[in-house]
Amino acid sequence: MTLGNWQDYRGKDEGVLIHLSTSRLHELPVREAADANGEPVLEPNYETGTFGLLQCLEARTRLAALKARRRYFLFGIRYQGLLKDFQGRFLIIGYMRLDRTMEVRKRHVHKWMENNASASPECMDMESCQAFQSNEMNFYTPADAFELTEELMKKWGYKGKITKQMKLTFTEDKLGKVLDHFKGKTPCNGEYQAGLATIDQA
């Protein structure tokens, strides 16, 4: 995708966990078709390998990652799809290496004004909003996901259950364990896109 003025980004090997809301209508944890306001959900955008470009989701988390020079987003979910064996388990279903960034606050505000959307973008009251583009954005089946158990969380020094309010960051060694897990797995980005199409037609 060449839209906009992307700038090369180089961060350190640390990660940030992004919590995603996913569909209950598919075995794959594809993104929900619509948000609470009935607006289509486009982020993270599997189709273009971008996050934060088309919609303003997790704006503060994205900006914090940029300021801390972190290189990866890890996408986590509390599984609620059709596979009963995975129900309720917290899975890291994919990751995104941050390769390029672009300031998009004006873009989001203009789009909101043009569409007369009900909810203003998250970055409305922020000075800056950064979207990211990746050459390596991969998603996996629940069976191939990295499970973040409470036992592992305690071992890694995290306290309490995983909630959307927790802004978990991963140091280089913890990030390495997650990325190493995925090295032997086959990404199924195409299946995620096909899953979206199936839900849209339902």
Side-chain angles (χ1 to χ4, degrees):
M1 189 171 184
T2 58
L3 182 67
N5 299 310
W6 293 101
Q7 296 182 341
D8 287 342
Y9 174 83
R10 294 289 180 270
K12 53 193 174 183
D13 286 336
E14 294 181 356
V16 180
L17 183 65
I18 303 284
H19 294 258
L20 301 181
S21 296
T22 54
S23 175
R24 299 174 184 267
L25 304 176
H26 202 283
E27 292 184 357
L28 289 176
V30 298
R31 63 180 186 253
E32 287 185 311
D35 63 18
N37 298 309
E39 298 289 332
V41 178
L42 304 173
E43 302 284 359
N45 198 261
Y46 321 135
E47 302 87 333
T48 60
T50 60
F51 186 56
L53 175 66
L54 302 179
Q55 288 176 318
C56 194
L57 182 71
E58 295 282 357
R60 286 174 173 78
T61 304
R62 285 185 278 112
L63 185 59
L66 178 89
K67 289 181 175 179
R69 304 304 295 178
R70 296 193 169 101
R71 188 72 191 275
Y72 285 86
F73 286 145
L74 303 177
F75 296 113
I77 61 148
R78 183 71 67 181
Y79 185 82
Q80 55 184 4
L82 299 178
L83 297 175
K84 291 183 178 179
D85 287 349
F86 294 95
Q87 286 284 345
R89 291 159 68 175
F90 195 91
L91 309 175
I92 296 177
I93 57 167
Y95 66 90
M96 175 184 189
R97 188 185 66 205
L98 312 182
D99 293 316
R100 283 168 292 280
T101 185
M102 181 167 60
E103 162 58 46
V104 290
R105 183 183 175 279
K106 287 183 179 179
R107 174 191 177 92
H108 288 163
V109 173
H110 288 163
K111 185 178 178 182
W112 171 67
M113 293 171 69
E114 287 174 4
N115 296 342
N116 293 315
S118 54
S120 60
E122 185 183 328
C123 62
M124 188 77 172
D125 61 349
M126 296 170 58
E127 293 182 4
S128 175
C129 185
Q130 298 290 327
F132 289 97
Q133 186 184 46
S134 179
N135 293 333
E136 191 176 325
M137 183 184 198
N138 293 321
F139 290 85
Y140 299 85
T141 65
D144 285 344
F146 183 96
E147 184 169 7
L148 204 54
T149 63
E150 288 187 33
E151 182 181 359
L152 181 59
M153 290 278 288
K154 288 178 182 177
K155 181 180 176 183
W156 281 0
Y158 299 119
K159 295 181 180 179
K161 290 187 177 182
I162 304 170
T163 66
K164 286 195 172 186
Q165 287 69 41
M166 293 177 73
K167 300 300 180 185
L168 293 184
T169 58
F170 290 72
T171 55
E172 185 174 352
D173 60 328
K174 296 181 180 69
L175 173 68
K177 286 181 172 62
V178 176
L179 296 181
D180 284 346
H181 168 85
F182 287 124
K183 280 182 180 176
K185 314 298 182 185
T186 302
C188 54
N189 297 4
E191 287 87 342
Y192 269 72
Q193 292 183 43
L196 277 180
T198 301
I199 292 170
D200 288 341
Q201 293 166 7

